Structure formats: C-alpha cells, structure tokens
Amino acid sequence: MRLRTLTALAGALTLSLVTGCANGDSTGASANTVTYWLWDANQLPAYQTCAKGFEKENPGLKVKITQLGWSDYWTKLTAGFIAGTQPDVFTDHIQKFGQFADLQVLEPLDDLGIKNDDYQPGLAASWIGQDGHRYGAPKDWDTVALFYNQKMAKDAGVTAEQLNSLSWNPKDGGTFEKAIAHLTVDKNGKRGDEPGFDKNNVKVYGLATQGGGMGDGQTQWSTFTGSAGWSYTEKARWGTEYQYDSKAFQSTIDWYFGLAKKGYMAPFSDYNIQSNQGITQFAAGKAAAVFDGAWMISTYYGTKGIDAGTALTPAGPTGKRATMMNGLADSISKASDNKENARKWVAYLASDACQTVVGKAGVVFPATPAGTEAATAAYKKKGIDVTAFTEPVADKKNFRTFSYPITNYAADVTALMQPAMEDIYGNGKPVSSLDETNDQINLILDQ
C-alpha cells in the first residue's frame, strides 16, 4: 500500500523538480526558527500577528511563514516530503490527511492535550488516524450556503425569507427548483418558468456551476445528497466502502445535473477550474445564485457592483437542511528537526490566543468557540450577516453537518470520480455508470 502511494508521490516530485518547485525552505531553518506554511493569502496577516504573539511569549524563538497558492502549495509540500524540504509545521487539509497518514509523514500530536470539547463539534475527532493517534490540531472550519444577487432576487420578486425557506426533492425539485427557474432569464427576457423560455440562449442562470464536484461535491451537490440522508462511506471516518452506487445518491445527482439540461444552471462547458468558477459567473452577472463556502464570504461581499446576500441550504427529503462542515488543522512534519519548538507553535495556533486574533480579521471561522465568536463579530462590523454559515453548526435539530470523506487512497478516488461526474454533467452519461466507478474505487480500498 505504501509503495503505490510513494510511487505517486515520486511522480509529483519529478513534476515539481521540472517546474522548479522543489527548491525552497528546508526543514527547520535553525533550532530557534519554526518554519510554517499556509496557502491562503487573506489569512497571512492574521497569522503574522499570531507569530508576533508567539515570539513574545517565547523569547528567542522565531516563526518563518511561507504562503503559497493552493496548487503550488500541495506540489511543493508533496515534493518536500521526499526531498527533505518540507516545513516544520503546515496547514493540513482533510482531503490529504488519509494519504499523509498512510505515508507516515505526520508527527503524532497526542501530547498536546487537544480536547474535543474545546473546539466546534467534530473538528478535533476528524484528525485521529486509524492507529488512534492525533495528527492535526484544529485550526478553522467552514460550511456551505447559497450566495445570491440581491438585486436580481428583488427584480424577480423573490424575498430573502423565501430563499431561506426553500426545500427540494429529486422528483420535481420542490420550491428550490421553482426559485432557481424564476431567477433564470433568457436572451429575450423570459424567465425559466415562463412560456417561451429559451433554454439554449440564457442570459442569466438561476444557479452558477461549480463543476462536476469530483467525489465530494462540496460546493456542488453535497448539500443535496446530504439532505437526502446519503453518506460517502459506510461510516463517518475511515470507511472502506464508498456508496456512489446507492439509489439516493444517483437520483439526487440525476436531478441536480438535470437543472443544466433545463437551462436553470450553467452548463458544464461554462466551467473552468482556473478562470471561470462560480464566483466569476456571479461577479459577471451571469448567475443569480451560487453555492459556495464560508472561506469565500469576503470575496462575494467585496465584489464591486453586486449587493450579495446569503441564504440557508434548502431542506431535503429527510426534512433537514445539510452542509459539509470541513475543518483545517495544523500538522507537524515527522521529518522536522525542530519538533519541540514546532509543538509549541502548533499549541499556540490551536489556542484562543491565536484563534481570536484570526477571528477578528473576519476572513474565516476559527475552530474554538471564542474564535468563532470573534469572527462573527468582525463580519457583523463589516455589515455581513453570516447566519447562513453559523446556524447549521448551532442547530443540530434542523441541520445535518457532515465531514469531508476521510479514507485511504483519496487521490485515487478523485482520479476516478472526476471524469465520471464530468461525463454525467457534460456528456449526458447515465448516473447508473457510477455503479462501475464505485466498484473500482472499493476494489482499490480493499487492497
């Protein structure tokens, strides 16, 4: 199992050497300097402030922060694990956790005393490996909500109250589909629910596309499959059987991508992961609404010429609303030569001392309740209501939150599911084709 994954990592290393990404900070610049990597430029100032606080509490110690773009970040980090140029501490994503844990490149953090109750529900537990050891200290969290153009909604006669009380089902789409249809406008000014609507010549789509969603569908279909009662695997964490062959999943996917066939959602051909994401369609006035994550709040509300609003995800067949609740963590590289000081830095990152600083920046929701409260207050000060993101965490009676799928071979799952979902969305392949894809995935997990 390790040989297969190491081979894949070696391939990534070869690519990074060719592109020059393998050159960079080596592990532990010095005994008194902790190297730390993150990918979000918007969060960099807050963590620079945290570093100053840490250095004040630990005279003689320094933190060297490196910020890289998302794609370069993982390429360089992957290369670093092999070439010995990885940082002491890095921001970790649950999508990568399974592979990193399997490769044994993460340092156990059991001695940091991380307690589940000190963080928002479920965040701390997600970073426990199959061996029972902790490999990440909770950093922040995000949920998904519906961003919408308030002017377009007003012009359509759709109120905020209506958008916050939508429901859906895979048979006729419920009030959600009706709202999205009404927000859609063709080149002749006909709305999607009006006679004569031309689905082949749409000026404004009711819903932007975020692509096929690969195997997780975080900002695409996960809120619908989640509110239909479906789960990625047979258990919450470290499952061994994916369930993309289930009737609940496939009927939901068939309906969801069917919105594009009806002309209510932008077609797959409009999507480009680099240059034409949901935010781009929204900002250009080509889509009235889009599902996206809390990490994008400042971006949507900062879009010039558009007055953005947010609404709760629609209730599904289970009667509940649903959203993925993803949480990042800080991890220590096992090959670090500076583990003692790295532990001190990670402990500080996971404390209210740092997380309230990050919260006050109003960019993300930190993992501790105090950090979350600071972020909510910061957003409110900016005139931004973040209830659509925080309510799912507070109201377990009416909301279902679920984690990003945590399994082995995450990269292999993505490699199989990405073209499979794109074939269904873009080429009209039947959802039943996922039966074979699911069998292939579970065969890999069974090794």
Side-chain angles (χ1 to χ4, degrees):
M1 180 164 68
R2 283 176 52 77
L3 181 59
R4 282 185 71 259
T5 318
L6 280 169
T7 301
L9 280 179
L13 173 59
T14 301
L15 175 62
S16 13
L17 287 172
V18 170
T19 58
C21 289
N23 297 319
D25 300 323
S26 59
T27 302
S30 74
N32 295 323
T33 300
V34 177
T35 54
Y36 179 55
W37 288 8
L38 50 79
W39 65 74
D40 191 347
N42 293 326
Q43 295 186 58
L44 180 59
Y47 282 102
Q48 289 172 329
T49 301
C50 282
K52 291 179 181 178
F54 173 77
E55 291 167 357
K56 187 176 181 180
E57 287 191 11
N58 297 272
L61 293 185
K62 298 291 181 182
V63 177
K64 181 180 181 182
I65 302 177
T66 298
Q67 182 267 321
L68 299 162
W70 172 265
S71 296
D72 287 342
Y73 181 90
W74 296 110
T75 300
K76 190 172 182 179
L77 183 63
T78 300
F81 284 135
I82 298 175
T85 57
Q86 72 284 322
D88 296 309
V89 182
F90 65 95
T91 301
D92 207 347
H93 193 289
I94 206 71
Q95 180 186 20
K96 310 290 183 179
F97 177 38
Q99 183 182 35
F100 290 163
D102 178 48
L103 285 170
Q104 299 178 21
V105 296
L106 304 178
E107 177 71 9
L109 304 178
D110 305 297
D111 58 342
L112 291 187
I114 300 294
K115 298 177 181 178
N116 291 341
D117 293 344
D118 290 340
Y119 303 91
Q120 297 290 5
L123 296 183
S126 293
W127 294 91
I128 303 296
Q130 295 183 83
D131 59 4
H133 292 296
R134 169 171 300 284
Y135 292 100
K139 180 183 188 69
D140 56 41
W141 61 269
D142 55 72
T143 50
V144 173
L146 185 70
F147 289 91
Y148 65 93
N149 184 313
Q150 294 199 67
K151 183 180 184 304
M152 288 183 178
K154 183 178 180 180
D155 290 346
V158 179
T159 67
E161 290 74 20
Q162 288 174 318
L163 288 171
N164 275 295
S165 59
L166 298 176
S167 61
W168 78 277
N169 66 75
K171 293 182 179 180
D172 61 18
T175 56
F176 173 80
E177 183 171 325
K178 289 180 180 179
I180 294 303
H182 192 62
L183 288 168
T184 302
V185 183
D186 71 11
K187 299 288 185 180
N188 298 314
K190 293 285 187 180
R191 294 193 176 276
D193 56 355
E194 293 179 340
F197 168 70
D198 186 355
K199 67 178 183 179
N200 297 314
N201 290 286
V202 178
K203 182 180 179 180
V204 179
Y205 291 98
L207 188 65
T209 177
Q210 295 275 37
M214 298 181 283
D216 61 273
Q218 183 177 17
T219 58
Q220 296 84 10
W221 40 260
S222 71
T223 183
F224 298 107
T225 54
S227 58
W230 178 81
S231 297
Y232 296 95
T233 56
E234 85 283 8
K235 56 183 179 180
R237 301 177 181 89
W238 302 110
T240 57
E241 292 184 5
Y242 274 87
Q243 303 181 127
Y244 298 121
D245 59 347
S246 80
K247 182 178 179 181
F249 179 77
Q250 293 186 8
S251 63
T252 300
I253 294 301
D254 194 40
W255 164 78
Y256 175 74
F257 289 138
L259 294 174
K261 295 178 182 178
K262 296 173 182 177
Y264 308 154
M265 182 170 73
F268 180 69
S269 57
D270 282 18
Y271 175 79
N272 182 292
I273 196 169
Q274 297 297 333
S275 61
N276 197 25
Q277 301 177 49
I279 177 60
T280 310
Q281 300 161 49
F282 185 84
K286 294 181 178 180
V290 55
F291 286 102
D292 219 330
W295 64 91
M296 292 291 289
I297 292 173
S298 296
T299 302
Y300 279 93
Y301 279 89
T303 301
K304 291 183 179 180
I306 293 181
D307 187 8
T310 51
L312 301 167
T313 57
T318 60
K320 285 191 174 187
R321 304 175 188 277
T323 171
M324 180 183 288
M325 183 179 179
N326 190 33
L328 303 181
D330 288 304
S331 295
I332 296 177
S333 302
K334 192 170 185 177
S336 168
D337 293 325
N338 203 3
K339 293 177 184 176
E340 181 181 352
N341 292 328
R343 275 181 159 75
K344 292 179 181 179
W345 172 234
V346 170
Y348 188 83
L349 288 169
S351 70
D352 279 335
C354 177
Q355 298 212 358
T356 52
V357 167
V358 175
K360 289 176 181 178
V363 177
V364 294
F365 294 110
T368 65
T372 297
E373 289 176 9
T376 303
Y379 282 122
K380 185 177 182 180
K381 192 174 182 179
K382 295 178 182 180
I384 300 174
D385 181 3
V386 294
T387 304
F389 298 95
T390 57
E391 190 170 327
V393 180
D395 183 4
K396 295 303 181 184
K397 179 180 178 181
N398 297 303
F399 290 84
R400 178 195 176 200
T401 58
F402 52 92
S403 172
Y404 197 99
I406 304 172
T407 67
N408 289 327
Y409 301 115
D412 298 275
V413 174
T414 298
L416 287 166
M417 284 297 291
Q418 180 170 351
M421 298 302 279
E422 290 177 354
D423 262 348
I424 294 170
Y425 186 6
N427 301 321
K429 196 169 184 179
V431 291
S432 58
S433 61
L434 291 172
D435 289 353
E436 182 178 355
T437 305
N438 195 71
D439 288 343
Q440 293 173 331
I441 291 171
N442 288 340
L443 183 62
I444 293 172
L445 263 64
D446 192 42
Q447 292 186 51

